[in-house]
Amino acid sequence: MTGAVERPLGALETRTAIAEGRLSAEAATEALIERIAALEPETEAWVAVDADGARAGARVLDRGPERGALHGVAIGVKDIFAANGLPWRCGSPIWANRIATFDAASVAMARAAGAIVLGKTETTEFASYKPCRTRNPAAPGRTPGGSSSGSAAAVMSGMVPLAFGTQTSGSIIRPASFCGVVGYKPSFDLIAGSGVAPLARSFDTVGLFARSVADIAFAAGALTGLDLAPENAATPPCPVGLFRSAAWEFAEPDLMAVWETFEADMSASPAILSQPVPAHFADELEGALDLHARIMAVETAEALAHEAAIAPELLSEGLVREIAAGRALSSARRHTDRLSLHRLRARALDCLDRQAVWLTPSACGAAPDWNSGTGNPAFNRTWSLLGLPACSVPLLADPAGRPIGVQVVGAMGNDAGVLAVADWLRRHFT
Amino acid sequence: MTGAVERPLGALETRTAIAEGRLSAEAATEALIERIAALEPETEAWVAVDADGARAGARVLDRGPERGALHGVAIGVKDIFAANGLPWRCGSPIWANRIATFDAASVAMARAAGAIVLGKTETTEFASYKPCRTRNPAAPGRTPGGSSSGSAAAVMSGMVPLAFGTQTSGSIIRPASFCGVVGYKPSFDLIAGSGVAPLARSFDTVGLFARSVADIAFAAGALTGLDLAPENAATPPCPVGLFRSAAWEFAEPDLMAVWETFEADMSASPAILSQPVPAHFADELEGALDLHARIMAVETAEALAHEAAIAPELLSEGLVREIAAGRALSSARRHTDRLSLHRLRARALDCLDRQAVWLTPSACGAAPDWNSGTGNPAFNRTWSLLGLPACSVPLLADPAGRPIGVQVVGAMGNDAGVLAVADWLRRHFT
C-alpha cells in the first residue's frame, strides 16, 4: 500500500531536519499532502484537508524565526476540536455545515509552538459510538476503532506524523491498539480541553497519536510546559507491573494467547513488580465499569442538551438511547455516583504507588470486523474513570498480523513515567 | 429607586403564578422588560437584552403544555456563556462582534426546562479582573464585584429573577455579597460548563444568582436532576460551624465588627459545631491561596492561547501579565502544583464532615469604591481551589447599610446541606 511513497518522517525527525536546514516546512507539508492524495481514497481518515492553508502556514514559518518546539510539524485534528476556519462537524449531520470561528485551546497552543494544522480527522458521532467511514490501514476489513478513528488511521498510514484525539472511555487507547500506532491519554485534564465538543466532562481527555513514543512525549511537552521526554534508559526507568484487571473477562482468545507469552517475557525481567495495583484497591474497583457508564450517560445527556433540543431527529438511535438513560437516573443515584467518583479518585491517590506503572491490554483483542462497530473499551474504562495516564504501544499482534497494543498505565500525574516505560518497551521489544 | 415599579416576582413565584393560571409567561416577561427599561440606564448590567426573542419565547410557552420546572421563568446569562443568536463578547473587544451559534449546555438545559433567556449580562474581561461598566444597585458608587457583575446587579435590581454566573476564584460569592443577593457556587463541575468561555479549567464553576435561596435551589435542581429543595426546617438541618479561615487577615474593620456580632448571635445556638474545619486540615490549607493563584495563571494562559495569538494588543495589561506569569512557571512547579491540587481535594474528602457546613465571610467587607477594581476574592479562593459548594446569603451590612454576605460552605457534594442551611439562616435572621 505504501510502497510507492517514501517512508514518512516522524514529528521529531521533521522538526530536526527543519532546524538543521535539511528540509523546509513547505517541503515537509507538501510531502504529506502528496501522501494524503495517494492514500486517502482507501483510508477515508479526513473530514477536510486544508492543503492551501497548510502550505501558506508552512511558507510563513519558513520565512520567520523558529516559532517553537513544533516548528513545521503537521498535525491532524479530530473533528470535535474547533480549528479556526475549518469544518467542525463532530461526526454529526446536525453540524454538517459548521465552520469553527476560533481555535480550541490545544489547537491554539500547538499553532503557537509552530505546528501546522493539516486538517480535521474523522470521528464517530460526537465521539460516541456510531462509526464514521474511516478504514483501518493496519488491518484491512477491520474497524480502526473509535472514537478518534481518523486520527489513528491518518497517523498509521503516514499521512501526518501527529494527531489530536480525545478519550472518554477508550477513544484513544483502543484505536491506537487497532491501528498499530502509539496513543497517549494524559492524566485527566492535563492538556486544556476547552473548545473541544464535550461528551462526558468528568472523563473527556485530550491526547495524541504518533508513530513513536518520543514524538508523543515531545509534543505533549510543548502543550503542557512539562518535561516529558524519555531518556533512552536501557532498563525500565521506574517499577513496572503486570495487571490483567477485571476487564480480563472480555479478553478474546487471540489476546489471551499473545498476552500470556508477553507476560512470560516480561516476568523474566528483574524490574517487574508482583502487584502494581494492590489487591484491596482492585477490589474497590468492582463496579467501576458500571459507574463509568452511568456517569457518562448523565453527562452525555447534559453535554448534548442543545443538539437534543434543536435536532433530535438527527441523533443516532444509540445516542438517543444513551441520552434517555442518562436523563432517567434518579437524584439519589446521580448524587451517590458523583461522590463515588470523587472517593475512588482520592483512594487511587492513596493506594497506588506514585512512581510505578503497570502493563495491561489496550483492547479485548485485535480490531473486530469493520461493520461490527468500533470495538469494546472494557480495558480502558477504569483508567478513564480514575483519570490516570495511559499509553498504548503497538507491540503485539494476532496470528494474522493485526496489531494489538500494550497499555502502560500509571498513577495520577505520572505521565512522565508512563511515557518513559512505553518508550523503553518499544526499544526493548523491537 | 424601585419605588415606581411593582415588587418583582421571584423565580418560584413566577412559575407558580403561571402554573395556577394567574399570570402568563408573556406578561411576566413584559414586566421584566419594562423594569429593565426603567432601571438599566443607572445599572448598566446588560450587554444585550433580547426583548423580542424573550417575548416570542414566552408566547410559545403560553400556547403549549408545561415545558418543565422553569416554565416561563426569565434568566440572565453572563456573557461568557454561549446563547444561540445572542452576542458572546466575554467582556473583551476581541469578541465585540461575535454572535453565538449554539447554546452552552447549561443554557440549553435551562431552556429545555422552560426558562426564557432574557439577555446577556456584563462580565469583567474573560471573567478575570478588568471591570465592566456595571453599577451596584445596593451600594451606589461601589463596585458590584466581579466577574459576574451584571448577573448580580440585574438580579438585585429585580430586572430578572435568576441569572447564571461563574466562579473561578470569587466571581459568584463576592458579587452576591456586594450586591445583596443570594449567590450559589455549586460543587466543582456539578452544573455542566461546556460552551462557557474558560478562564482556569480546574476551578471554573457554573452557578446562579437569585433573591432567595429557595429560587436558587429550585433552579439548580432543574439543571442537575438533583433534589436540592430546602425543607423550611425550624432548626439548622445539619451541623453548622463558624470558621474565619486564613483569609481573616484580609478582613476589613467593618467586617470584623459585624462578624463578631454575628458569631456571638450564632454561638448561642445549640447546633453550632466548635471546629467545622479540623485544625490539622486548616494547617494543610496553608499555601492554598498561592497554589490557587499559580494554577489559575497557568490555566488562564492556556485557556486564552487563541486570543493571545490573534489579538494580544486587545488584552488588558493585567491579563497580559497573568498570562506571562502562567507561561513562566517551570515544569517542576506545574507538576507539583497539579499533584498538590489533587492531594488537597482528596484530603478534603477524608478530613471534612460530609454532613456539616461552616459559615465564613463572603468577602473582606462591603463593596469597595467603584473605581478601585472588583474587590478581593481572598475569602473565596480556598473553597474554589477545593471545589466545595458555597452559598452567599445577604444577612449583614456595614454601618452605611451596604450589604455583606455570610458564606455557607460544605464538603464536596453537600450542595443540599449548604442550600438548606443558607435557607434556614435567611429565615432565622429575617
Side-chain angles (χ1 to χ4, degrees):
Chain A
M1 182 180 90
T2 62
V5 190
E6 275 183 51
R7 190 185 72 83
L9 297 177
L12 266 168
E13 288 171 326
T14 303
R15 187 231 181 293
T16 304
I18 293 174
E20 294 176 354
R22 294 183 279 114
L23 182 71
S24 67
E26 189 176 3
T29 303
E30 204 59 53
L32 296 171
I33 293 169
E34 280 174 30
R35 199 169 171 92
I36 291 172
L39 301 177
E40 173 64 359
E42 64 194 271
T43 313
E44 301 190 302
W46 299 86
V47 170
V49 176
D50 185 25
D52 290 343
R55 281 186 189 111
R59 273 182 228 119
V60 169
L61 288 171
D62 284 334
R63 280 197 302 269
E66 190 189 274
R67 183 78 63 87
L70 298 175
H71 189 96
V73 176
I75 188 164
V77 179
K78 184 180 184 180
D79 198 29
I80 64 169
F81 293 59
N84 197 16
L86 297 182
W88 186 20
R89 297 180 190 154
C90 302
S92 169
I94 297 176
W95 298 118
N97 299 310
R98 179 163 68 170
I99 302 290
T101 56
F102 61 97
D103 278 342
S106 50
V107 172
M109 288 192 284
R111 287 199 217 253
I116 295 168
V117 173
L118 192 50
K120 303 297 292 290
T121 59
E122 292 280 358
T123 173
T124 61
E125 181 190 25
F126 294 112
S128 178
Y129 297 106
K130 191 190 167 197
C132 55
R133 63 197 182 112
T134 303
R135 305 281 154 169
N136 186 336
R142 303 302 175 108
T143 175
S147 64
S148 308
S149 320
S151 286
V155 167
M156 178 57 196
S157 54
M159 296 194 278
V160 71
L162 197 65
F164 275 124
T166 58
Q167 177 157 318
T168 305
S169 49
S171 285
I172 290 173
I173 299 301
R174 186 163 97 265
S177 179
F178 291 171
C179 291
V181 296
V182 180
Y184 167 49
K185 181 202 92 68
S187 291
F188 179 68
D189 221 14
L190 187 66
I191 299 178
S194 70
V196 180
L199 183 64
R201 62 190 182 274
S202 292
F203 313 124
D204 294 343
T205 306
V206 170
L208 293 162
F209 296 90
R211 288 186 301 277
S212 79
V213 179
D215 277 6
I216 292 265
F218 163 69
L223 294 167
T224 59
L226 296 176
D227 181 9
L228 297 171
E231 286 178 4
N232 273 315
T235 54
C238 62
V240 179
L242 292 159
F243 184 59
R244 291 183 176 187
S245 88
W248 188 254
E249 65 171 296
F250 298 101
E252 292 161 13
D254 282 345
L255 171 67
M256 288 185 183
V258 296
W259 194 258
E260 274 162 24
T261 306
F262 175 72
E263 284 179 333
D265 288 352
M266 287 300 300
S267 297
S269 164
I272 287 294
L273 279 174
S274 61
Q275 209 170 54
V277 178
H280 64 91
F281 184 62
D283 289 346
E284 291 178 45
L285 293 174
E286 205 182 329
L289 300 186
D290 289 343
L291 178 66
H292 179 273
R294 282 196 307 273
I295 295 176
M296 190 164 156
V298 167
E299 295 188 348
T300 295
E302 297 178 346
L304 296 176
H306 178 62
E307 288 81 357
I310 62 168
E313 73 287 0
L314 296 181
L315 295 170
S316 70
E317 275 179 42
L319 203 44
V320 166
R321 271 198 306 274
E322 175 90 353
I323 290 170
R327 287 182 178 164
L329 284 168
S330 70
S331 167
R333 176 52 91 179
R334 286 162 191 256
H335 179 68
T336 54
D337 278 353
R338 198 158 272 276
L339 271 184
S340 297
L341 174 64
H342 292 308
R343 293 237 147 239
L344 268 183
R345 289 187 174 176
R347 288 291 294 157
L349 281 177
D350 281 343
C351 298
L352 296 171
D353 181 332
R354 267 200 245 184
Q355 307 302 327
V357 303
W358 56 98
L359 312 181
T360 191
S362 295
C364 303
D369 277 349
W370 193 86
N371 56 16
S372 72
T374 62
N376 183 341
F379 277 98
N380 317 119
R381 274 188 189 267
T382 302
W383 320 126
S384 293
L385 177 85
L386 296 174
L388 306 187
C391 184
S392 180
V393 190
L395 290 185
L396 311 176
D398 76 359
R402 297 181 198 101
I404 294 177
V406 173
Q407 182 176 198
V408 188
V409 188
M412 176 62 88
N414 191 17
D415 295 71
V418 163
L419 292 172
V421 169
D423 185 58
W424 172 80
L425 275 175
R426 251 213 126 176
R427 283 180 290 107
H428 188 68
F429 279 87
T430 48
Chain B
M1 179 180 88
T2 61
V5 190
E6 274 184 49
R7 189 185 73 81
L9 297 178
L12 267 168
E13 289 171 327
T14 303
R15 187 233 183 292
T16 305
I18 292 173
E20 293 175 354
R22 293 183 280 113
L23 181 70
S24 66
E26 188 176 4
T29 305
E30 204 58 54
L32 295 171
I33 293 169
E34 280 173 32
R35 199 167 171 95
I36 290 173
L39 301 177
E40 174 63 359
E42 65 193 271
T43 313
E44 300 189 302
W46 298 86
V47 170
V49 175
D50 184 25
D52 290 343
R55 282 185 188 110
R59 274 183 228 118
V60 169
L61 288 171
D62 284 335
R63 280 198 302 268
E66 190 189 275
R67 182 79 62 88
L70 298 174
H71 189 97
V73 176
I75 189 164
V77 179
K78 184 180 183 177
D79 197 27
I80 63 167
F81 293 59
N84 196 17
L86 297 182
W88 187 20
R89 296 180 192 155
C90 301
S92 169
I94 297 176
W95 298 118
N97 299 311
R98 179 164 67 172
I99 303 290
T101 55
F102 62 97
D103 278 343
S106 51
V107 172
M109 288 192 284
R111 288 199 216 253
I116 294 167
V117 173
L118 193 50
K120 303 297 293 287
T121 59
E122 292 279 358
T123 173
T124 62
E125 181 190 27
F126 294 111
S128 176
Y129 297 106
K130 191 188 167 198
C132 56
R133 64 200 180 111
T134 303
R135 308 279 155 170
N136 186 336
R142 303 302 175 108
T143 175
S147 63
S148 309
S149 320
S151 285
V155 167
M156 178 58 195
S157 53
M159 296 193 278
V160 71
L162 197 65
F164 275 123
T166 59
Q167 177 157 317
T168 305
S169 48
S171 286
I172 290 173
I173 299 301
R174 185 162 100 264
S177 179
F178 291 171
C179 291
V181 297
V182 179
Y184 166 49
K185 181 202 89 70
S187 290
F188 178 67
D189 221 14
L190 188 65
I191 299 179
S194 69
V196 180
L199 183 62
R201 62 190 181 276
S202 292
F203 312 125
D204 294 343
T205 306
V206 170
L208 293 163
F209 296 90
R211 289 186 300 277
S212 78
V213 179
D215 277 5
I216 292 264
F218 164 68
L223 294 168
T224 60
L226 296 175
D227 180 10
L228 298 171
E231 285 179 2
N232 273 315
T235 54
C238 62
V240 179
L242 292 159
F243 183 58
R244 290 182 176 188
S245 87
W248 188 253
E249 65 171 297
F250 299 101
E252 291 161 13
D254 282 346
L255 171 67
M256 288 185 183
V258 297
W259 195 259
E260 274 161 25
T261 307
F262 175 72
E263 283 179 332
D265 288 353
M266 287 301 299
S267 296
S269 162
I272 287 294
L273 279 176
S274 60
Q275 208 171 53
V277 178
H280 65 91
F281 184 62
D283 290 345
E284 293 179 43
L285 292 174
E286 206 183 327
L289 300 187
D290 289 343
L291 179 65
H292 178 272
R294 282 196 308 273
I295 294 176
M296 190 164 157
V298 167
E299 295 189 346
T300 296
E302 297 178 346
L304 297 176
H306 178 62
E307 287 82 357
I310 62 168
E313 74 286 1
L314 296 180
L315 295 171
S316 71
E317 277 179 42
L319 202 44
V320 167
R321 269 197 308 275
E322 176 90 351
I323 290 170
R327 288 182 177 166
L329 285 168
S330 69
S331 167
R333 176 53 92 181
R334 286 162 191 257
H335 179 68
T336 54
D337 279 354
R338 197 158 275 274
L339 271 184
S340 298
L341 173 64
H342 293 307
R343 293 234 148 241
L344 268 182
R345 287 186 175 177
R347 287 290 295 157
L349 281 177
D350 280 345
C351 299
L352 296 171
D353 181 332
R354 267 199 245 185
Q355 309 300 327
V357 302
W358 54 98
L359 313 180
T360 191
S362 295
C364 304
D369 278 349
W370 192 85
N371 54 17
S372 72
T374 62
N376 182 342
F379 277 99
N380 317 118
R381 273 189 189 267
T382 302
W383 320 126
S384 293
L385 177 85
L386 296 175
L388 305 187
C391 183
S392 180
V393 191
L395 289 185
L396 311 176
D398 76 359
R402 297 181 197 101
I404 294 177
V406 173
Q407 183 177 200
V408 187
V409 188
M412 176 61 88
N414 191 16
D415 295 72
V418 162
L419 292 171
V421 169
D423 186 58
W424 171 81
L425 275 174
R426 254 216 126 170
R427 282 178 291 108
H428 188 69
F429 279 88
T430 47

